[in-house]
C-alpha cells in the first residue's frame, strides 16, 4: 500500500493536498483514503474496495511535504490580490494548462439572472 500511496501522491498531488487542507479547515480528526479497483476491467459500474488507510490531516500534509502555514499563505496572497482590485464582481479561475490563476472582471448584474431564475422556479412549485 505504501508504494501505491506514493504513486498517487505524485500523480494526484493537487487532489490529495486539497482534500487534506479541506479536512484541516473543517476541523476533521481523520481522513480516510480508499483503494478501489474495477471488478471487471471493461465494466465501469462495478468496483471492489481493496482497503483503506487512515491519516490525520496534519500527518497527510507532512507526508506530502506541505504545511498549514503554506496553505494559509496562498489564501492570504489571493485575498491581498483581490483587495487591490476595484469594487465590483470578479470570477477567479485556475488555468488548467498552466500554474496560473486568472481573475476576470464581469458586469455587475451577471449572476443576478441565474439567482432570480432559481427563486422563480422554487416559487412556481406547488406545495403538497
Amino acid at each position: 500500500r505504501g508504494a501505491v500511496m506514493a504513486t498517487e501522491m505524485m500523480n494526484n498531488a493537487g487532489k490529495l493536498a486539497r482534500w487534506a487542507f479541506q479536512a484541516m479547515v473543517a476541523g476533521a480528526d481523520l481522513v480516510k483514503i480508499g483503494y478501489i479497483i474495477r471488478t471487471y476491467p471493461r465494466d465501469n459500474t462495478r468496483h471492489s474496495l481493496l482497503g483503506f488507510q487512515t491519516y490525520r490531516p496534519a500527518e497527510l500534509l507532512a507526508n506530502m511535504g506541505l504545511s498549514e502555514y503554506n496553505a494559509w499563505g496562498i489564501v492570504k496572497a489571493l485575498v491581498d490580490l483581490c483587495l487591490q482590485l476595484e469594487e465590483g464582481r470578479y470570477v477567479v479561475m485556475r488555468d488548467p494548462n498552466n500554474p496560473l490563476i486568472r481573475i476576470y472582471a464581469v458586469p455587475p448584474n451577471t449572476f443576478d439572472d441565474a439567482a432570480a431564475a432559481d427563486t422563480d422556479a422554487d416559487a412556481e412549485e406547488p406545495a403538497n
Side-chain angles (χ1 to χ4, degrees):
R1 286 188 192 170
V4 172
M5 187 62 180
T7 302
E8 290 304 313
M9 281 186 182
M10 286 188 320
N11 294 339
N12 296 307
K15 281 184 191 178
L16 288 169
R18 184 177 68 229
W19 294 339
F21 285 128
Q22 286 174 339
M24 179 190 64
V25 169
D29 295 329
L30 300 172
V31 174
K32 293 189 181 226
I33 297 177
Y35 299 98
I36 311 286
I37 62 166
R38 288 184 178 182
T39 305
Y40 302 103
R42 293 178 190 235
D43 183 6
N44 65 356
T45 61
R46 294 185 179 188
H47 297 81
S48 296
L49 175 65
L50 292 178
F52 64 90
Q53 286 183 298
T54 304
Y55 294 95
R56 297 193 186 288
E59 176 187 327
L60 183 58
L61 290 171
N63 286 346
M64 296 177 64
L66 301 171
S67 70
E68 181 178 352
Y69 181 76
N70 185 23
W72 288 115
I74 293 168
V75 172
K76 182 183 182 317
L78 186 59
V79 168
D80 288 344
L81 184 63
C82 290
L83 287 174
Q84 293 174 3
L85 299 171
E86 294 179 17
E87 184 99 12
R89 287 197 177 187
Y90 297 90
V91 175
V92 178
M93 296 181 66
R94 184 182 67 86
D95 189 328
N97 299 322
N98 297 313
L100 233 250
I101 292 180
R102 298 183 190 271
I103 301 176
Y104 297 101
V106 295
N109 58 358
T110 300
F111 301 110
D112 291 344
D113 295 339
D118 289 343
T119 56
D120 290 344
D122 292 340
E124 291 176 6
E125 292 180 11
N128 293 333

